[in-house]
């Protein structure tokens, strides 16, 4: 009885099947090809690469502006009138899109590495287009509505640039395997020159990037100044409802040097603490006095204000994603907070000898105390008995009157001015957003004995950069976090960084040279051809019976030619064949075995 066996056994190629299947839904062997990638697919590869770098930039940007998520939500609230936290959902969507694009790019590079024709599936093309358009819209929206926030990118580079440089050098070194493979396979000297010149230009540029890196944390430890003092922004709004007694108490419990608050005057002349122009966000005025919910906060009597709940919103909306971490007793206490009078804050600050950074909000022109609200506020402060030198007065309105009534107040400004004008007006402290000052500005202010306070600083990396830059104090929503930062996140002597820089560049260049030599040795001599290969390369690229026949002929011819080089076959071959088993059994051989 004659035993029938297949002419050829095909080894399973799981790696290659997954590579081409996930990228282009080509799971079958006959669907794959070593033909040159079409220009249309090369264009999609360029679009994919561009989208990768664009989403990388957006992801990095949105990750670094985590410090200002509350400010972003506040901005949207002022636009829409509704408080919704969009920062975290945007971060999650961005992370998912970037991960997807990164995976596609890795698959595309895998195709290049193993010499497979790229053919991105139409579903991937659709998702790629959606992600590209969404990223462009997001970046344009930020440019239009929040332009100054792009400055965070440059500030973050002061903290991350040395590490990003090392990561970029590592990435370009890994790409050497693919670049060297293309260089070794190419038969055109011009293309080889183009590859090597372009790649070396990028590599050398990356090697020299540290010459442009300037970080205040590249300094000797002995040159590091004192830790910046922390002022609680409206108290500790991550731990308790903002501008409430509980919030200010929590800030002081976490070693806050001072407290910041916005002061308003009620319709009946009582100074109280409130930041918003209306009470809808931070009180239950919609339930208690719906007819007053659209009025300016200062146009309501204190007898009505003291009846409002100023804490329940914090537990329900959880603006900083921290309310869920409160103990049951703290959550109950937060839910029952009320609007805080200025006099209550003054008693607390006097008891703890804490500095107060106060900004008095202007009142509408038809307010009963429109002409005397500054006088009322200063009188309230003086009456409390708090030491005048503990009060930092931030408002520009009627400074002369304030100076006459309370000469011991520290005068401050939230406008960036030259040193001469600051001296003329008696201002000794500047309160500026951290994006509005440079390292040179900080040095200039320190040289002229001007105190600089920056706001709003919540992240340890940003606090560390400002610490290294020489900032004396910061306003923060997170005093409980920054108070636990004993030292800058990183501090490195320049000489030590130069050693790391040069060492990483030398190692990278050595690896790149070695990879090019290895790839040239492995692939440079593989130049075998047969008639079927030539005919197949010249054939019109279409699904036809003739092309499939030529492919089958090419397969069997390569099997016969590779019997002596079976060790070179692999699941993801980089040569011009797919890696078949060499255990072929021909009918004639089978007959002879049976006869014997």
């Amino acid at each position: 009885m004659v035993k029938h066996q297949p002419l050829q056994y095909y080894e399973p190629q799981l790696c290659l099947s997954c590579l081409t299947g996930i990228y282009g839904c080509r799971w079958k062997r006959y669907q794959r090809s070593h033909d040159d990638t079409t220009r249309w697919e090369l264009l999609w590869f360029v679009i994919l690469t561009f989208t990768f770098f664009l989403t990388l930039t957006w992801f990095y940007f949105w990750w670094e502006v985590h410090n200002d998520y509350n400010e972003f939500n506040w901005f949207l609230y002022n636009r829409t009138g509704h408080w919704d936290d969009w920062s975290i959902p945007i971060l999650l969507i961005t992370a998912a899109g970037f991960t997807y694009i990164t995976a596609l790019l890795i698959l595309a590079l895998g195709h290049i590495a193993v010499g497979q024709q790229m053919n991105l599936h139409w579903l991937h093309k659709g998702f790629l287009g959606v992600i590209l358009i969404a990223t462009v819209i997001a970046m344009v929206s930020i440019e239009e509505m929040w332009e100054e926030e792009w400055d965070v990118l440059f500030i973050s580079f002061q903290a991350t640039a040395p590490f990003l440089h090392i990561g970029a050098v590592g990435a370009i070194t890994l790409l050497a395997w693919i670049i060297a493979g293309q260089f070794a396979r190419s038969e055109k000297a011009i293309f080889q020159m183009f590859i090597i010149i372009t790649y070396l230009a990028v590599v050398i540029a990356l090697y020299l990037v540290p010459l442009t890196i300037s970080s205040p944390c590249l300094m000797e430890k002995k040159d590091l100044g004192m830790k910046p003092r922390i002022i609680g922004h409206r108290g500790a709004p991550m731990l308790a409802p903002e501008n409430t007694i509980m919030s200010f108490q929590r800030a002081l419990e976490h070693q806050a040097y001072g407290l910041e608050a916005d002061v308003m005057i009620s319709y009946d002349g009582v100074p109280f603490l409130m930041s918003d122009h209306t009470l809808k966000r931070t009180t239950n005025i919609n339930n208690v006095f719906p007819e007053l919910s659209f009025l300016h906060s200062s146009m309501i009597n204190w007898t009505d204000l003291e009846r409002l709940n100023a804490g329940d919103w914090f537990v329900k909306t959880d603006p900083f994603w921290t309310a869920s971490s409160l103990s049951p007793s703290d959550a109950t206490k937060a839910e029952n907070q009320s609007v805080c009078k200025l006099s209550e804050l003054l008693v607390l600050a006097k008891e703890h000898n804490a500095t107060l950074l106060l900004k008095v909000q202007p009142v509408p022109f038809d307010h009963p105390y429109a002409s005397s609200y500054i006088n009322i506020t200063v009188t309230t402060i003086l009456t409390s008995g708090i030491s005048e030198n503990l009060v930092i007065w931030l408002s520009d309105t009627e400074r002369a009157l304030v100076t006459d009534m309370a000469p011991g107040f520290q005068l401050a400004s939230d406008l960036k001015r030259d040193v001469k004008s600051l001296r003329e007006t008696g201002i000794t402290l500047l309160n500026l957003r951290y994006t509005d000052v440079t390292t040179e500005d900080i040095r200039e202010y320190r040289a002229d004995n001007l105190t600089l306070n920056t706001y709003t600083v919540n992240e340890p990396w940003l606090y560390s950069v400002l610490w290294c830059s020489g900032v004396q104090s910061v306003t923060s929503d997170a005093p409980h976090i920054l108070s636990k930062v004993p030292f800058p996140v990183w501090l490195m002597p320049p000489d030590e960084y130069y050693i790391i820089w040069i060492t990483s560049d030398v190692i990278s260049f050595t690896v790149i040279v070695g990879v090019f030599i290895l790839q040239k040795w492995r692939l440079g001599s593989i130049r075998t051809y047969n008639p079927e290969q030539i005919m197949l390369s010249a054939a019109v690229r279409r699904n036809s019976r003739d092309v499939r026949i030529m492919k089958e002929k090419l397969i069997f011819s390569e099997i016969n030619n590779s019997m002596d080089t079976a060790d070179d076959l692999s699941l993801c071959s980089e040569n011009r064949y797919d890696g078949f088993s060499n255990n072929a059994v021909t009918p004639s051989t089978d007959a002879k075995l049976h006869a014997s």
Side-chain angles (χ1 to χ4, degrees), residues 331-393:
T332 301
K333 185 176 180 180
E335 287 176 337
N336 292 284
Q337 291 298 298
S338 57
V339 178
C340 182
K341 293 168 63 174
L342 174 60
S343 58
E344 295 176 289
L345 174 62
L346 291 168
V347 171
L348 183 65
K350 180 181 178 181
E351 179 183 344
H352 290 83
N353 199 36
T355 297
L356 290 180
L357 177 60
L358 300 177
K359 183 174 183 179
V360 182
Q361 300 285 359
V363 299
F365 70 93
D366 56 344
H367 192 281
Y369 297 95
S371 59
S372 58
Y373 71 96
I374 295 293
N375 191 314
I376 293 174
T377 304
V378 175
T379 300
T380 302
I381 296 173
L382 296 177
T383 303
S384 70
I386 191 173
S387 176
E388 291 186 15
N389 61 4
L390 292 178
V391 178
I392 302 175
W393 187 267

Side-chain angles (χ1 to χ4, degrees), residues 495-508:
D495 293 341
E496 183 177 331
Y497 174 63
Y498 294 149
I499 293 174
I500 295 175
W501 162 33
I502 296 173
T503 302
S504 62
D505 286 356
V506 170
I507 294 174
S508 170

Side-chain angles (χ1 to χ4, degrees), residues 467-501:
W467 184 350
C468 296
S469 300
V471 169
Q472 292 99 327
S473 63
V474 300
T475 300
S476 175
D477 293 322
H480 63 295
I481 295 176
L482 300 189
S483 62
K484 297 177 181 178
V485 179
F487 200 72
V489 173
W490 70 273
L491 189 71
M492 188 182 300
D495 293 341
E496 183 177 331
Y497 174 63
Y498 294 149
I499 293 174
I500 295 175
W501 162 33

